[in-house]
Amino acid sequence: MSEWNCADCERANPLSVDTCVWCQAPRAAAPGSSDQTGQTVGGDRFELRAKLGEGGMGEVYRAHDRRTGREVAIKLLAPHLKTNAEAWERMWAEARALARIDHPHVVRLHDLFEAESGGLALVMEQVRGGALSGRLAQGPLNPAEG
């Protein structure tokens, strides 16, 4: 997740802007959002280095895996949903779907665990680049762009 959704028009925006590119509404924090940058999760295995984005279900961080030395992305279930059974099931369904897909244009799931905060955490491949919404705002995609 490298974008934020406008609370007014619900459209996706690149993280690089603080005002909605569609309706000009200011960026607002999602309910129950937090910033855990600098903390560790997964038994001190993953150091959360930067918050990449947040949505209705969770928050995504760039993290350093102290065990393997690789940079990963970690999606944490939003704190206000840690006791919501439906949210847990949706995260589990996302994890199962990612685990079954092996395609160069779909992020890879490396691991999952229950975070110390009480929610589910998905450890995924760190993908470099901008938000798809930012690219789409420039016009239609060319098939050669991959």
Side-chain angles (χ1 to χ4, degrees), residues 26-48:
R27 181 178 182 177
S33 69
S34 62
D35 191 342
Q36 299 180 55
T37 300
Q39 296 181 26
T40 57
V41 295
D44 287 336
R45 178 177 175 184
F46 301 99
E47 178 187 346
L48 303 179

Side-chain angles (χ1 to χ4, degrees), residues 91-103 106-112 122-124:
M91 284 279 282
W92 273 109
E94 179 179 346
R96 287 189 297 269
L98 283 174
R100 288 190 306 263
I101 299 171
D102 183 19
H103 190 277
V106 177
V107 68
R108 286 181 176 83
L109 178 69
H110 293 309
D111 201 358
L112 68 153
L122 306 182
V123 182
M124 299 173 285

Side-chain angles (χ1 to χ4, degrees), residues 55-76:
M57 285 285 299
E59 301 166 340
V60 179
Y61 291 87
R62 180 174 51 82
H64 177 74
D65 183 340
R66 292 177 170 174
R67 189 177 300 159
T68 66
R70 89 177 139 192
E71 297 298 304
V72 296
I74 295 186
K75 181 176 183 178
L76 299 170

